[in-house]
Amino acid sequence: MLSLTSALLALQGLGLVAAAPYVHNTVPELSTRDAPRYNASLPNITIFATGGTIAGSAADITQTTGYQAGALGVDILIKAVPELWNVSNVRGVQVANLDSGMITPSILVNLSSQIQAELDSPYCQGVVVTHGTDTLEESAFFLDLTVRSDKPVVVTGAMRPATALSADGPINLLSAVTVAAAPAARGRGALVVLNDRIASAWYVTKTNANAPDTFKSYEMGYLGVLIDIKPIFYFPPAWPVGKRQFNITAATVLPQVDVLYGYQALNPGLASAAVASGAKGLVMAGMGAGGWTEAGRAVLKQLAASNGTHIVDSRRTMDGYVEPDSSNTYYYAGGFLNPQKTRILLQLGIYANYNATGFKSLFEFDS
C-alpha cells in the first residue's frame, strides 16, 4: 500500500523545486533506457503530465488552498510513488505544466496527437494523463472523442497539492496507472480515476470545488471501483449511446465555441457579442431543461439565420435531459451532456464540417 508520508518525504528530499514546463513533441518507443527498473513481464504505461493540483506545491503541509498548481514536473511525481514500478514500466512526458483553467485547444490537440502516436506503438499498453481537476472532465471528454484505440486512456488528478499532509495525488496516480495496466480496462474509451472510483469520461463531472470525492456521475453511475488498488469493473466494456469519434490529425486550431449562462433577465446582447468576437457556435447553459428568455431566443434565431451560428441547448443544473424541440429548427438539444462537454462536441462537429443533418444526429440521436 502506498505511504503518503513516504511520498511527501520523497518530494521534500527533492527540494520541491518547480519544474520548468516544456513541450514534448515526439514520443519515442519505450525502451529499457527510459526505465532503469524495466521489467519485461509488466505492461508499459506512459504518463502524460499537464500540471494541475496533482503537481501543486505550497509553503506548508497543512495548506490545501492558495497553492501553486503545476509546480512539479512529471519525474518528481513518478519518483514520489515507487510503487508504480510494481505494476508497470512507467515513463513520463511533460506536455504542459499549468493550472487546468489555462488549458487551450492547441494543448488538447497536441496531447491527443501524442497519445494517439503512443498507443499506436506496440510497445505501449496504455496511457495516463495527470491534469488539474477544474477542467479535467473537458480534456477527458475531448480525448474520448479524438483518440482511436482500445488501449486504456486514464485521466487523473488531485484535490490537494503534492505538498499537503493529506495529498491524494500519489494514490490517485498509482490507481490510474494500475487501471491503465489492467486488461479489463480496454475498450471502454477514456476513463477518469480519482478517489478509488472509475468513471466514464463521457458523463462524469466535478461536483464539489474542494472535496476529494468530487468526480461523480449521478444518473449513469461509476464503471468500477478500486479495492486495495485493484480495479473491479461492474460491467463489461461498452460505449455510451451516440458516441462519435473525430479525426483531428490535421488540426492546428479548433473553432471558437462559447458558453452562455441562463438567468433571470439575462442580457440577450451577450450572444451577439460572443459571435462578434469570433464564436462559430454557442452553447446555452439554460434554466431548467434548457430554458431561455423570449428576447434571448429572438437574438439567437437571428444569429443562426444571418451568421450561420451553430447553437446547442444545454442546462445549468447538475443533471438532467434537454429534449429536442421540433418547432425550432435553428438550434439543437444537448441531451444529457452538460454545457462544458456540449461545447467540446460542438467544437469538433464544426471542425468536421457537419451540416444540419449531421449536427442533429450528433446531438439529437435516437437511443
Side-chain angles (χ1 to χ4, degrees):
M1 177 67 70
L2 174 65
S3 167
L4 293 180
T5 301
S6 66
L8 285 167
L9 289 175
L11 288 168
Q12 292 167 352
L14 288 163
L16 297 175
V17 178
Y22 66 97
V23 176
H24 184 101
N25 289 318
T26 59
V27 184
E29 293 174 349
L30 186 66
S31 70
T32 54
R33 291 175 299 179
D34 298 307
R37 300 172 62 177
Y38 181 79
N39 184 335
S41 66
L42 295 177
N44 301 323
I45 304 298
T46 302
I47 300 172
F48 291 89
T50 66
T53 299
I54 193 170
S57 177
D60 190 279
I61 63 172
T62 63
Q63 189 175 348
T64 58
T65 62
Y67 50 85
Q68 180 186 351
L72 308 176
V74 65
D75 290 342
I76 294 179
L77 301 185
I78 291 173
K79 289 177 181 177
V81 192
E83 291 84 353
L84 292 171
W85 295 98
N86 295 333
V87 295
S88 68
N89 301 304
V90 292
R91 183 172 71 89
V93 177
Q94 194 81 48
V95 178
N97 215 355
L98 303 167
D99 181 299
S100 68
M102 302 298 291
I103 296 291
T104 63
S106 62
I107 292 175
L108 287 182
V109 169
N110 179 38
L111 176 62
S112 177
S113 175
Q114 292 196 47
I115 289 175
Q116 187 66 63
E118 188 76 335
L119 294 179
D120 286 344
S121 167
Y123 298 99
C124 178
Q125 281 70 55
V127 304
V128 167
V129 177
T130 61
H131 199 288
T133 59
D134 284 354
T135 66
L136 183 150
E137 66 192 83
E138 295 171 58
S139 295
F141 186 69
F142 182 87
L143 296 175
D144 197 34
L145 290 167
T146 60
V147 174
R148 296 168 176 262
S149 178
D150 285 338
K151 298 177 183 178
V153 176
V154 182
V155 187
T156 192
M159 292 300 291
R160 294 167 180 166
T163 50
L165 183 62
S166 56
D168 54 331
I171 199 166
N172 284 343
L173 181 59
L174 178 58
S175 296
V177 170
T178 303
V179 170
R186 294 176 64 100
R188 298 178 183 271
L191 303 174
V192 173
V193 172
L194 288 94
N195 199 47
D196 292 335
R197 300 296 191 272
I198 306 169
S200 166
W202 189 266
Y203 286 121
V204 74
T205 190
K206 185 175 182 178
T207 65
N208 189 291
N210 311 105
D213 62 342
T214 179
F215 282 91
K216 300 181 185 296
S217 182
Y218 287 116
E219 293 293 330
M220 297 78 187
Y222 294 112
L223 299 184
V225 66
L226 287 114
I227 303 295
D228 293 333
I229 318 296
K230 294 181 178 62
I232 300 172
F233 287 96
Y234 303 135
F235 316 105
W239 277 21
V241 173
K243 175 179 170 179
R244 304 285 183 87
Q245 286 197 302
F246 296 84
N247 185 346
I248 59 166
T249 54
T252 54
V253 296
L254 293 175
Q256 177 182 331
V257 174
D258 291 328
V259 178
L260 299 181
Y261 195 83
Y263 53 90
Q264 294 177 351
L266 63 87
N267 180 359
L270 293 178
S272 298
V275 172
S277 71
K280 304 301 180 185
L282 297 174
V283 174
M284 323 313 293
M287 300 160 282
W292 210 252
T293 64
E294 291 185 6
R297 286 289 181 205
V299 171
L300 294 176
K301 187 173 183 179
Q302 181 181 5
L303 289 172
S306 60
N307 294 82
T309 305
H310 303 282
I311 300 167
V312 182
D313 263 0
S314 185
R315 32 69 180 177
R316 71 181 195 184
T317 53
M318 177 64 69
D319 269 311
Y321 180 75
V322 178
E323 63 181 344
D325 183 353
S326 59
S327 66
N328 290 295
T329 58
Y330 66 91
Y331 68 88
Y332 309 98
F336 287 110
L337 293 178
N338 62 25
Q340 52 269 38
K341 292 184 178 180
T342 301
R343 171 187 166 272
I344 297 255
L345 187 57
L346 179 57
Q347 195 173 41
L348 289 169
I350 295 173
Y351 169 77
N353 292 317
Y354 274 43
N355 57 21
T357 301
F359 278 114
K360 191 171 184 65
S361 67
L362 189 64
F363 288 101
E364 299 179 358
F365 54 84
D366 293 326
S367 60

